[in-house]
Amino acid sequence: MELIFVFANSEILSSLYKNIEKQNLQKDALLIKTLAEKNPNEKYTNLFENSKIRFTLIDELGNVIYDSKNRNNEQNMDNHKNRKEVRDAIILGEGFSIRKSKTLGLDYAYYATRFKNIDDKIFVLRTSKDYTKQLSQLKIFSIILILFFLILNYSIHFFYKNYIKRDFYNKINKMKTFLIDGENLNSRNFKDEAWLLEFWNILKEWQKYNLENIKSLDIERKTLNTVITSVDLFIGLIDKEGNFILKNNSLDYIVSPDKLKYLEAIKYIEILDIIKESLKNNSNISKEIYIYATKEYFIVSTKPVKYKNRFLITIKNITETKKTIEFQKKFINNVGHELKTPLTNIKGYLIALEDAPKNLKSEFLKTVNHNVIKLENIISDFLNISKIEYYPSLKLEYFPLSKLKNSVIQSLEITISNKNAKISFIFENNLTSIYSDFEKLNIILKNLIENSILYNKSSIPNVKIIIKEIRDNYFFKIEDNGIGIPKNKFNKIFDRFYRIDKARTTNLGGTGLGLSIVKTLVEQLNGNISLTSEENKGSIFKIMIKKQ
Ligand code: ADP
């Protein structure tokens, strides 16, 4: 564009120069013609001797007749018929051209005009002038023009670029503010730049979409976090450098929550060995281990995760499960053992009964009956145990305390009458009914009262049961005048299958499960049980149950 402008400008100027030159030469030609016409008798030589104008007279055939700058040498000059200005003058009446003079070797402007002399012969009068100066002026002008445009161009480019840059920077900064703060930009800020507004709208759409994505990712992350943190097993993900990139805080006594490297975080060599082996072989490992220091069993599992060479480590404490399995084994063993003794007795006495003398028969039957009761007790305890294990939930209801009392006494009817026991229930503070689990309380009281009668050497076993409210609790006190329990056995008697030396009692029907059942039930009722006792004087069991 600018080049065209420079070119056009130069052309205009050059044609202006040419026109001025043409007009000057035209005037000169006219002057010469007039002078020549007015002085027909004078020789051109004389007439224009002192004129600075170069002029040439050429005949119709192109022969130079006179040249003011080449006087007396005209016959040696080339034929001028083919000179543009001469040709134009002959054909059109006048001609003008700028070119290098073959005669003088300089740039010249030529003007030629046709005229007839008095003999009616056609001649061409040509005036010419040195044009070198004008041409060099035009050249300098063009160079200045080009330079001017170059500098202008560069300056505009420089300033515009900077302006655009600054403007862009400001707008991008505004967008950045919005993106960071979520603040809405006024669309007036872009009133002159529709494309920027469009871009801004796209950005906003995109940002909205991103925010939604971030929100749903955040929900997923929180859900995953909640799941990971709420499980009771340790979960950790390590990268190939052995740093934890994700872990929960479970089993913090095994894995320090504040250490980054698994080698520093995991405290026990038994676990570290498994992880090292798995890392070395890039393999899945799942191993059960026993940690001597904590006296616990764990399952340690490691698994390479394909994504970014990561390793998943899980550690689960299985001590309780192990104990349950152990207990079940022991339990089955004990069941067999406990059932075997009375059954062998029953079998032996039944065989002996056939040949037994009459006077011993009733004695034998009594023993058989005694063993049958024992079998019943054992089976009932076992059934209670499994019932308690499998149905830990509570069945809460309002029921009168008299119902509870009647149910317990009825279930112990034979024992009470056999031992001639005295059972007294006292409901204090006008308490007549309670809101609790009837069945569980029934088993608790039955077991405790039965023990109070059985482990008792008094002629009249006396059992006193007090039930009352203490603030938000129901309180039960079972007091007997039995043989008592040695202090060092207070904790042990609540263990499963634990029985104090069998010799100290006539109760051969016990299984050692009664008090453990009581304790489990009390805990299920959200309460606790305590014991005070003095040997040969009696025992007191106290139960405190939180009201539901
Ligand atoms: P068992 O089936 O032997 O009665 P329990 O778990 O009910 O089992 O009792 C554990 C042991 O605690 C009993 O063997 C007995 O020696 C002792 N014991 C329980 N209750 C009393 C009590 N009221 N007086 C004295 N000893 C008791």
Side-chain angles (χ1 to χ4, degrees):
M1 227 7 225
E2 280 156 14
L3 270 177
I4 292 170
F5 185 73
V6 169
F7 181 73
N9 249 346
S10 311
E11 274 303 297
I12 290 167
L13 200 69
S14 130
S15 78
L16 210 69
Y17 265 63
K18 276 181 192 168
N19 266 340
I20 293 169
E21 206 57 59
K22 187 182 169 187
Q23 273 171 22
N24 287 337
L25 288 170
Q26 205 172 17
K27 270 185 214 156
D28 290 347
L30 197 67
L31 189 73
I32 291 163
K33 215 166 97 180
T34 321
L35 250 160
E37 276 167 1
K38 281 197 177 159
N39 303 286
N41 303 321
E42 280 286 340
K43 274 205 162 192
Y44 285 117
T45 331
N46 302 334
L47 260 177
F48 302 107
E49 199 167 18
N50 300 318
S51 167
K52 280 180 187 163
I53 308 162
R54 180 193 172 193
F55 79 92
T56 316
L57 201 63
I58 303 149
D59 70 12
E60 201 178 2
L61 298 169
N63 301 314
V64 178
I65 293 164
Y66 176 80
D67 190 285
S68 59
K69 286 278 179 304
N70 220 0
R71 264 185 288 167
N72 305 325
N73 194 28
E74 285 88 352
Q75 63 274 18
N76 295 328
M77 288 174 73
D78 291 344
N79 187 295
H80 276 37
K81 195 165 185 181
N82 284 329
R83 304 281 203 278
K84 186 185 174 292
E85 70 281 358
V86 176
R87 204 175 53 235
D88 284 356
I90 292 169
I91 300 165
L92 305 167
E94 66 169 5
F96 181 77
S97 79
I98 290 168
R99 59 187 162 75
K100 223 170 202 58
S101 159
K102 286 185 181 167
T103 320
L104 302 167
L106 291 166
D107 287 310
Y108 261 75
Y110 296 95
Y111 174 78
T113 177
R114 188 182 64 185
F115 73 96
K116 280 181 184 165
N117 72 353
I118 31 175
D119 304 328
D120 231 13
K121 265 190 173 171
I122 291 172
F123 286 92
V124 172
L125 174 67
R126 190 183 73 173
T127 46
S128 55
K129 228 179 187 179
D130 183 359
Y131 201 67
T132 343
K133 213 170 130 196
Q134 284 90 329
L135 273 182
S136 67
Q137 270 178 4
L138 273 172
K139 225 180 256 171
I140 290 169
F141 175 77
S142 296
I143 291 169
I144 290 172
L145 211 62
I146 288 170
L147 277 177
F148 169 76
F149 274 110
L150 276 178
I151 293 167
L152 185 74
N153 229 346
Y154 180 76
S155 312
I156 290 174
H157 180 72
F158 178 78
F159 286 111
Y160 191 63
K161 202 172 96 184
N162 272 333
Y163 166 76
I164 298 247
K165 228 194 247 169
R166 225 174 310 127
D167 191 47
F168 239 87
Y169 184 75
N170 285 342
K171 277 169 183 142
I172 283 170
N173 250 356
K174 275 181 200 164
M175 288 181 193
K176 201 170 107 187
T177 321
F178 173 79
L179 287 176
I180 294 168
D181 304 343
E183 141 203 342
N184 204 346
L185 267 186
N186 195 332
S187 59
R188 268 179 301 155
N189 286 327
F190 304 118
K191 62 173 187 269
D192 296 330
E193 287 128 310
W195 66 272
L196 203 54
L197 184 62
E198 183 67 10
F199 172 68
W200 172 240
N201 285 335
I202 291 169
L203 202 69
K204 270 204 300 193
E205 271 296 303
W206 182 68
Q207 197 214 18
K208 198 176 134 203
Y209 171 75
N210 270 354
L211 281 176
E212 276 164 16
N213 265 356
I214 291 170
K215 213 168 144 190
S216 70
L217 277 177
D218 198 47
I219 293 171
E220 273 175 36
R221 192 182 55 82
K222 278 184 185 146
T223 316
L224 186 70
N225 230 22
T226 318
V227 172
I228 289 177
T229 49
S230 56
V231 290
D232 66 344
L233 85 159
F234 169 80
I235 300 176
L237 194 66
I238 54 170
D239 60 17
K240 55 179 186 295
E241 272 81 40
N243 294 328
F244 276 114
I245 44 173
L246 178 117
K247 69 170 161 32
N248 64 4
N249 289 345
S250 299
L251 304 184
D252 55 355
Y253 61 101
I254 300 286
V255 189
S256 295
D258 48 349
K259 298 257 168 65
L260 187 69
K261 291 200 172 301
Y262 89 91
L263 281 170
E264 292 167 11
I266 295 173
K267 296 174 188 167
Y268 297 100
I269 190 84
E270 296 91 332
I271 300 174
L272 285 173
D273 283 346
I274 295 172
I275 299 170
K276 278 185 206 162
E277 191 189 328
S278 174
L279 280 170
K280 198 174 130 204
N281 303 328
N282 199 36
S283 59
N284 288 4
I285 295 185
S286 184
K287 238 183 202 170
E288 185 182 312
I289 53 159
Y290 176 73
I291 295 184
Y292 189 76
T294 63
K295 301 205 170 4
E296 285 173 311
Y297 292 90
F298 296 92
I299 286 194
V300 181
S301 302
T302 57
K303 192 180 180 167
V305 181
K306 274 188 191 137
Y307 177 68
K308 284 191 177 172
N309 287 341
R310 286 168 178 177
F311 258 80
L312 183 71
I313 302 167
T314 57
I315 306 171
K316 185 163 175 57
N317 187 335
I318 52 156
T319 316
E320 276 309 309
T321 326
K322 273 248 168 206
K323 270 190 189 162
T324 313
I325 294 168
E326 281 304 309
F327 168 75
Q328 277 167 351
K329 272 188 205 160
K330 201 173 147 192
F331 187 79
I332 290 165
N333 209 24
N334 277 313
V335 170
H337 187 77
E338 293 294 329
L339 289 175
K340 213 171 153 189
T341 320
L343 270 175
T344 315
N345 281 344
I346 293 167
K347 198 178 157 194
Y349 278 100
L350 283 177
I351 292 167
L353 203 62
E354 272 184 21
D355 309 316
K358 246 188 182 166
N359 60 334
L360 284 179
K361 270 192 176 166
S362 73
E363 194 61 35
F364 282 11
L365 273 173
K366 228 171 152 185
T367 312
V368 169
N369 191 37
H370 176 82
N371 279 293
V372 169
I373 291 169
K374 188 173 176 177
L375 271 181
E376 268 177 5
N377 285 345
I378 295 168
I379 289 163
S380 140
D381 277 354
F382 289 159
L383 284 177
N384 277 337
I385 278 267
S386 61
K387 212 155 117 190
I388 288 159
E389 295 287 334
Y390 292 107
Y391 303 102
S393 59
L394 300 178
K395 195 179 155 217
L396 296 168
E397 59 183 329
Y398 274 108
F399 58 86
L401 287 172
S402 54
K403 184 183 162 189
L404 183 67
K405 171 186 164 183
N406 294 339
S407 169
V408 173
I409 289 179
Q410 199 186 351
S411 63
L412 289 171
E413 214 173 352
I414 299 166
T415 319
I416 294 170
S417 74
N418 280 351
K419 296 280 272 181
N420 200 21
K422 186 178 166 232
I423 316 291
S424 46
F425 275 85
I426 302 158
F427 310 137
E428 286 188 356
N429 308 336
N430 299 326
L431 187 68
T432 50
S433 61
I434 61 170
Y435 183 71
S436 191
D437 187 312
F438 178 84
E439 197 48 49
K440 291 190 195 294
L441 277 177
N442 192 25
I443 299 170
I444 292 169
L445 291 182
K446 190 213 150 209
N447 270 297
L448 291 173
I449 296 166
E450 188 176 31
N451 280 350
S452 292
I453 301 169
L454 293 177
Y455 302 111
N456 202 316
K457 285 182 180 163
S458 319
S459 52
I460 302 174
N462 199 352
V463 189
K464 194 161 93 185
I465 302 107
I466 295 174
I467 305 176
K468 64 176 175 182
E469 280 175 314
I470 299 180
R471 289 183 296 277
D472 289 340
N473 304 287
Y474 292 123
F475 174 76
F476 300 79
K477 183 174 159 190
I478 299 95
E479 188 176 352
D480 64 49
N481 56 347
I483 58 173
I485 299 163
K487 255 204 166 73
N488 60 348
K489 309 279 189 219
F490 276 15
N491 283 331
K492 286 195 168 174
I493 55 161
F494 293 101
D495 288 349
R496 280 172 179 176
F497 299 111
Y498 186 82
R499 304 192 68 204
I500 304 174
D501 183 13
K502 288 176 188 171
R504 68 188 199 122
T505 169
T506 49
N507 174 29
L508 297 169
T511 56
L513 287 171
L515 285 182
S516 85
I517 292 172
V518 168
K519 193 171 178 234
T520 311
L521 288 174
V522 170
E523 279 164 3
Q524 284 177 3
L525 284 166
N526 206 5
N528 58 67
I529 182 164
S530 61
L531 160 69
T532 48
S533 179
E534 211 174 308
E535 280 187 90
N536 301 318
K537 282 214 166 144
S539 309
I540 302 170
F541 287 87
K542 286 178 187 165
I543 296 170
M544 196 72 106
I545 289 171
K546 260 228 150 351
K547 281 185 190 170
Q548 304 285 333

